[in-house]
Amino acid sequence: MSTVVDPIAVDFERQREVAAALREFMPAASVLFEREDVQPYECDGLSAYRQVPMVVALPENEGHVRRILEICHEKRVPVVARGAGTGLSGGALPLGNGVLLSLAKLMRILEIDPLARIARVQPGVRNLAISEAAAPLGLYYAPDPSSQIACSIGGNVAENSGGVHCLKYGLTVHNILGIRAVTIEGEILEIGSAGLDSAGYDLLALMTGSEGMLAVVTEVTVKLLPKPECAQVVMAAFDEVEKAGAAVANVIAAGIIPAGLEMMDQAATLAVEHFVHAGYPTDVAGILLCESDGTAEEVADEVRRVEAIMEASGATMIRVSQSDAERLKFWAGRKAAFPAVGRISPDYYCMDGTIPRKRLAEMLRRITELERKYGLRCANVFHAGDGNLHPLILYDANKPDELERTEAFGGEILAYSIEVGGTITGEHGVGIEKVNHMCLQFRAAELETFHGVKRAFDEHGLLNPGKAVPTLNRCAEFGRAHVHAGQEKFPDLPRF
Ligand SMILES: Cc1cc2nc3c(=O)[nH]c(=O)nc-3n(C[C@H](O)[C@H](O)[C@H](O)COP(=O)(O)OP(=O)(O)OC[C@H]3O[C@@H](n4cnc5c(N)ncnc54)[C@H](O)[C@@H]3O)c2cc1C
């Protein structure tokens, strides 16, 4: 069972009119509107929410993207851009009266320059395909979302995606140099430069993480890094999650920035081990995976220091990968955590808050309380080094009100994230999933500033409307249903 977000009846006349206008310059096979053709696009990775789009457009080049947007602008048709549809916050959820603009056919790697260490790629290129293409040159693209086998670089830019190695190497925003993008009016924007700084406002940072609401990305120039000479992973097990949380803080406090520092609680570890057989211990409260990379000497030294910190923090077992195959096996487990959890529950809901590292253990305790309150189980996977939580709430959408309870559970995790000084998203974006929780995190004046930015790019609000930034009215409505600590940030909103 799932929720249809916008159950408006299809306006067939409008549908035929828009499709005919697009078919004037695109092959008929690239403009879809029959129910069975558009149905596969009805949701992204947040599959609890579905909506069949009015028309799906599959442009083959930037010129097509420009014309599609011009036409949608002229006819005032809303547009939702879509990369690979792996997003977890409903950012690519279509609109029943809109065009779903898929960038899937723009999947060429245009240039790899090993001297400048850059790659210029179209938006539909898969994240992992960039590293695969750069590998013969000894280079790779650092941000590595667990979905990297499928997700597109355009989607990564729109979500400012992260991954296991972002603790040391940064998020998407730190690893791109420039983009080309098309505005809703069909204008080309060339943003960014080869230099580290450029004149004017930092539009590259603004576009990164803008969730398809400001412009459609048609090309990305990414930085490539030399592949580290070697890498090793320390796996440490703990009999209390508090100790694992403290170990994370101790590693960072010792001045070490590991290439990755991940944590899984018992539920996640068990699910993964039964699925991937990565060699994780299963009779523990949680495990940490801590990767060091660099030269052989640097890695040997860092691994020694990490082992000592894990031991001093109370690890009950420590293992260090002895070969690259073993290192990859340790990571294969972590990277398969979501599908592994999918095997033990009919449905799961992945939350994505970020909190100060030192509050990790406290958050885990809170989640345990919430499991009891809502009668639902939760498996926890954290990008612990940067405090990014991924609680996976297990539910069955076919059971009455389980989705509702799950969302309330997730909402409390987000509210608590704000309460402990964190934020409601680390890397998955806001989309439709967390749009109400933006009301808790931001004041009315801040939300108005976001709307001002949106208007500067998209006066009529046609690009991905209803996502990421709530209206103040919506916040007032939300306030009626939820009274959270964050609400004191809205002195101008009514109290209930
Ligand atoms: C199993 C699994 C694991 C995941 N692990 C991670 C992880 O470790 N880290 C992480 O950050 N995320 C993770 N994700 C979430 C997701 O993969 C990322 O958000 C990813 O960047 C989405 O890319 P996509 O191509 O699928 O984008 P989509 O889902 O198609 O779109 C996402 C958003 O980007 C917009 N968009 C897409 N393309 C463009 C474009 N060319 N121009 C403008 N806007 C555009 C869409 O409108 C939408 O708002 C995971 C998802 C899954 C299913």
Side-chain angles (χ1 to χ4, degrees), residues 91-411:
L93 182 79
L95 293 163
N97 61 347
V99 167
L100 194 274
L101 174 55
S102 164
L103 282 307
K105 288 189 180 178
L106 273 72
M107 52 181 299
R108 280 192 307 129
I109 295 181
L110 303 168
E111 180 194 2
I112 295 187
D113 180 342
L115 291 182
R117 288 194 189 150
I118 58 163
R120 213 158 46 80
V121 302
Q122 290 188 319
V125 171
R126 290 177 306 112
N127 171 296
L128 188 59
I130 302 175
S131 292
E132 284 168 351
L137 301 163
L139 300 172
Y140 78 113
Y141 175 62
D144 56 345
S146 302
S147 53
Q148 67 180 155
I149 193 168
C151 66
S152 74
I153 189 72
N156 292 175
V157 170
E159 298 289 14
N160 192 17
S161 293
V164 161
H165 289 99
C166 289
L167 174 61
K168 182 166 179 180
Y169 296 105
L171 298 161
T172 303
V173 69
H174 307 112
N175 286 277
I176 60 173
L177 287 169
I179 57 168
R180 277 172 74 90
V182 184
T183 67
I184 185 69
E185 288 163 7
E187 299 290 342
I188 303 276
L189 301 176
E190 286 196 70
I191 294 171
S193 73
L196 289 180
D197 189 20
S198 58
Y201 295 123
D202 189 349
L203 294 183
L204 188 59
L206 179 61
M207 291 296 297
T208 314
S210 63
E211 303 197 26
M213 294 181 63
L214 302 182
V216 175
V217 176
T218 50
E219 194 181 295
V220 187
T221 302
V222 303
K223 294 182 200 169
L224 299 174
L225 298 180
K227 280 184 89 169
E229 188 182 301
C230 71
Q232 267 186 305
V233 174
V234 176
M235 175 169 60
F238 294 86
D239 55 6
E240 287 170 31
V241 284
E242 281 80 359
K243 290 182 190 164
V248 170
N250 294 340
V251 168
I252 304 291
I256 300 170
I257 305 291
L261 180 49
E262 301 280 309
M263 178 169 166
M264 283 186 284
D265 72 357
Q266 187 178 38
T269 309
L270 269 171
V272 165
E273 187 52 25
H274 290 147
F275 181 38
V276 179
H277 310 295
Y280 298 162
T282 49
D283 55 346
V284 295
I287 65 165
L288 292 180
L289 294 173
C290 183
E291 178 162 290
S292 297
D293 68 4
T295 63
E297 294 75 24
E298 283 165 351
V299 171
D301 176 56
E302 196 170 286
V303 163
R304 240 189 331 267
R305 291 170 66 204
V306 169
E307 275 187 285
I309 293 169
M310 296 294 176
E311 209 177 323
S313 307
T316 52
M317 186 221 71
I318 298 175
R319 265 176 62 192
V320 181
S321 64
Q322 296 303 314
S323 65
D324 219 40
E326 191 177 21
R327 178 180 76 86
L328 293 174
K329 200 166 140 194
F330 286 170
W331 282 128
R334 164 61 188 90
K335 293 209 169 196
F338 292 8
V341 165
R343 288 172 77 239
I344 60 167
S345 171
D347 299 282
Y348 69 89
Y349 200 113
C350 174
M351 298 309 295
D352 165 46
T354 301
I355 59 169
R357 275 183 289 273
K358 60 180 185 200
R359 314 288 294 258
L360 281 173
E362 199 181 316
M363 174 56 95
L364 277 163
R365 276 196 300 274
R366 178 81 182 127
I367 290 174
T368 306
E369 283 164 24
L370 292 171
E371 282 183 286
R372 280 195 291 273
K373 173 171 172 185
Y374 289 99
L376 295 167
R377 284 185 305 147
C378 184
N380 288 290
V381 181
F382 294 169
H383 296 308
D386 44 20
N388 183 200
L389 324 167
H390 290 326
L392 303 165
I393 305 170
L394 314 186
Y395 74 104
D396 182 349
N398 287 315
K399 294 200 177 143
D401 72 87
E402 275 216 358
L403 175 59
E404 225 168 57
R405 273 190 287 140
T406 302
E407 288 184 321
F409 186 160

